[in-house]
Amino acid sequence: MIFFSDRQYGFRTNRGTEEAINKLHERITTCLDNKEKCAVVFQDLSKAFDLVVHKKLLEKLKKAGCRGKVLEWFSSYLTRRIQRVKIGNTLSNCLEIEIGTPQGTALSPLIFLIYINDLLSVKIEGEIIAYADDTALLITAKNWQEVKVKMEKDMRRIVNWLNKHNLKLNIKKNELYKIYTA
């Protein structure tokens, strides 16, 4: 059984930025060869790794079939983590951390991919190609009006999914490109 979406290229063996770019290039070329209009929205998430909700992640692991000792280990790894701040000689009270992947660990990328994996299953008319928290939404249609309608519908669905999962688009880094033939 393959757990991760085939459209996720981040932090996976033999799948990297080059493969993601090649896949996007292949899809755009096919679109243009078919005389279709196409546009791509490049999306970036704000502080994505810092916003992973532990409770939701554990639910996703359970839904994916993770049980017993493995689920207990993940739960133990994520929960009851505390943080405090020291300024000079003054220490703040301890605060339990309920969101975010543990920083600087080898597991953080895997945890994030598990958390975001079902975004790539959201029912949309376009296609998402992802590299960790960076995604390209490719929309194709016979005319620009249809591209616009599909894009608006897909973006609403994506933003709804993100909101349900405590994630936000970094609006300053999102880019829209219309692809034209020469």
Side-chain angles (χ1 to χ4, degrees), residues 1-12:
M1 179 180 107
I2 297 172
F3 176 77
F4 291 112
S5 170
D6 194 43
R7 291 177 276 152
Q8 176 59 263
Y9 290 83
F11 309 116
R12 298 182 60 198

Side-chain angles (χ1 to χ4, degrees), residues 34-103:
N34 292 334
K35 307 284 190 243
E36 291 181 298
K37 308 295 182 201
C38 78
V40 181
V41 180
F42 292 96
Q43 304 167 44
D44 179 69
L45 300 179
S46 294
K47 300 181 181 184
F49 284 64
D50 297 335
L51 298 175
V52 170
V53 178
H54 298 166
K55 187 176 179 180
K56 285 185 186 283
L57 174 65
L58 292 170
E59 289 169 10
K60 287 172 183 274
L61 285 166
K62 195 171 185 178
K63 198 180 241 184
C66 187
R67 302 274 191 276
K69 292 287 183 195
V70 174
L71 187 61
E72 288 175 26
W73 183 86
F74 265 106
S75 180
S76 173
Y77 180 71
L78 293 168
T79 58
R80 293 179 298 281
R81 287 180 170 268
I82 59 168
Q83 70 179 11
R84 61 195 305 184
V85 176
K86 181 177 181 182
I87 300 175
N89 292 328
T90 306
L91 278 175
S92 70
N93 293 332
C94 292
L95 180 66
E96 188 171 341
I97 302 168
E98 297 176 350
I99 64 170
T101 60
Q103 294 190 8

Side-chain angles (χ1 to χ4, degrees), residues 52-167:
V52 170
V53 178
H54 298 166
K55 187 176 179 180
K56 285 185 186 283
L57 174 65
L58 292 170
E59 289 169 10
K60 287 172 183 274
L61 285 166
K62 195 171 185 178
K63 198 180 241 184
C66 187
R67 302 274 191 276
K69 292 287 183 195
V70 174
L71 187 61
E72 288 175 26
W73 183 86
F74 265 106
S75 180
S76 173
Y77 180 71
L78 293 168
T79 58
R80 293 179 298 281
R81 287 180 170 268
I82 59 168
Q83 70 179 11
R84 61 195 305 184
V85 176
K86 181 177 181 182
I87 300 175
N89 292 328
T90 306
L91 278 175
S92 70
N93 293 332
C94 292
L95 180 66
E96 188 171 341
I97 302 168
E98 297 176 350
I99 64 170
T101 60
Q103 294 190 8
T105 69
L107 276 180
S108 289
L110 174 65
I111 288 169
F112 183 75
L113 291 186
I114 292 167
Y115 191 72
I116 201 167
N117 191 57
D118 56 335
L119 168 62
L120 303 174
S121 301
V122 170
K123 187 164 176 60
I124 59 173
E125 296 188 46
E127 179 180 353
I128 297 175
I129 297 171
Y131 186 90
D133 65 331
D134 295 314
T135 61
L137 170 62
L138 175 69
I139 304 289
T140 63
K142 301 244 181 276
N143 60 62
W144 288 117
Q145 181 59 31
E146 195 178 334
V147 168
K148 179 181 181 281
V149 169
K150 285 181 176 184
M151 185 177 305
E152 288 171 351
K153 193 182 296 183
D154 285 356
M155 287 302 298
R156 271 194 299 279
R157 289 178 178 153
I158 290 167
V159 168
N160 285 340
W161 186 95
L162 293 172
N163 288 338
K164 287 178 187 173
H165 292 83
N166 198 46
L167 298 170

